[in-house]
Amino acid sequence: GRGAAAESAWQARLAAYRAAWPAEAAELERRMRGELPASFEQAAADYVRACQQKGETIASRKASQNAIQALAPLLAELTGGSADLAGSNLTLWKEARGVSSDDASGNYIYYGVREFGMGAIMNGLVLHGGLRPFGGTFLVFMEYMRNAVRLAALMRIPAIYVFTHDSIGLGEDGPTHQPVEQIANLRATPRLSTWRPGDAVESAVAWQQAILRTDGPTAMIFSRQNLPHQERTDAQRAALARGGYVLEDGAGTPEAILIATGSELAL
């Protein structure tokens, strides 16, 4: 925390800013408190409903990009980024502008091939306040940023991770880029919320819940290959926010219960 003198000086500067620029000061204080715009929850819910009605069969990494495009314009504090894989992670949106040494007003950071650096910088951005960062890389490269992810979980800060190319089903680079043990690693991390969406609708819900969460980090695991759309009732769509739900239910006492996530759900 700040010392008494520093806190007093900050409050004086804030009061002067509030007097000169009341609307901008209110927006700054909202962001520094970590509060979302009043319209966000309804807009996010409407987007999830629209995804269910549209019924697209697309890769969940593309569904993730669609969700970013729908939600980012509602959140000026959302700051994206990728570890040299923006085109593959699909973490860019139309309004994304890169941060550079000549222009710090952007909302997207090209971190380069430095996954741990990306995770550590994201932690710093959250702890500073006023920004909600997300960063993307291939799921298998989560290993490089593991310590930063773990620290975010220990500190209960709401960093958001976009991990793509989640499956052994596709991969031009072979076993070195095919994640096997990484999903179990993420799921076993206390306080880390891990989502592995099975279609575009689940991808939209994962983004919705990641942004709504304020007490810890969220990891979202997306596919490179297309995932078939799943039909759902309104009750099933509402249950998606729980992270687990019944998609198909047989009559009577079941002989078996099949549990699936992500790119195996359609199977």
Side-chain angles (χ1 to χ4, degrees), residues 51-240:
C51 287
Q52 185 66 47
Q53 293 170 349
K54 193 171 185 180
E56 286 187 299
T57 291
I58 54 177
S60 56
R61 65 169 175 164
K62 179 59 180 175
S64 168
Q65 185 179 46
N66 291 346
I68 295 170
Q69 184 59 61
L71 302 177
L74 307 175
L75 296 169
E77 60 266 41
L78 197 64
T79 303
S82 180
D84 205 44
L85 289 168
S88 294
N89 298 148
L90 303 187
T91 46
L92 289 165
W93 67 103
K94 291 179 182 177
E95 296 81 10
R97 293 178 295 105
V99 175
S100 70
S101 58
D102 298 322
D103 183 4
S105 67
N107 55 5
Y108 194 91
I109 302 173
Y110 292 93
Y111 287 100
V113 186
R114 51 201 299 262
E115 290 84 359
F116 173 71
M118 177 176 71
I121 291 169
M122 288 169 60
N123 288 348
L125 292 175
V126 178
L127 291 170
H128 174 276
L131 298 172
R132 285 297 304 273
F134 71 86
T137 187
F138 290 167
L139 174 59
V140 75
F141 296 154
M142 178 278 295
E143 302 288 357
Y144 295 125
M145 59 188 296
R146 186 73 183 86
N147 286 347
V149 174
R150 188 169 189 268
L151 282 172
L154 283 169
M155 292 186 287
R156 302 175 186 261
I157 59 175
I160 299 173
Y161 312 109
V162 174
F163 295 126
T164 68
H165 294 59
D166 81 308
S167 171
I168 62 171
L170 287 172
E172 298 172 354
D173 297 298
T176 59
H177 286 55
Q178 293 174 331
V180 176
E181 70 275 19
Q182 285 74 24
I183 295 175
N185 192 322
L186 292 169
R187 286 175 175 160
T189 303
R191 300 177 187 160
L192 175 65
S193 180
T194 301
W195 294 76
R196 189 169 180 246
D199 69 355
V201 180
E202 292 188 4
S203 300
V205 172
W207 264 106
Q208 172 198 43
Q209 295 303 310
I211 293 173
L212 289 175
R213 190 176 188 211
T214 60
D215 61 349
T218 297
M220 293 179 287
I221 300 170
F222 298 115
S223 73
R224 182 176 183 264
Q225 69 270 33
N226 286 347
L227 303 183
H229 169 72
Q230 302 296 326
E231 292 297 333
R232 297 177 182 84
T233 65
D234 289 342
Q236 287 172 320
R237 190 188 72 245
L240 289 176

Side-chain angles (χ1 to χ4, degrees), residues 21-46:
W21 306 92
E24 290 82 356
E27 174 70 1
L28 171 63
E29 291 182 276
R30 175 191 70 77
R31 295 190 208 175
M32 292 301 290
R33 289 193 301 267
E35 296 177 359
L36 294 171
S39 61
F40 178 80
E41 289 197 42
Q42 185 60 55
D46 291 343

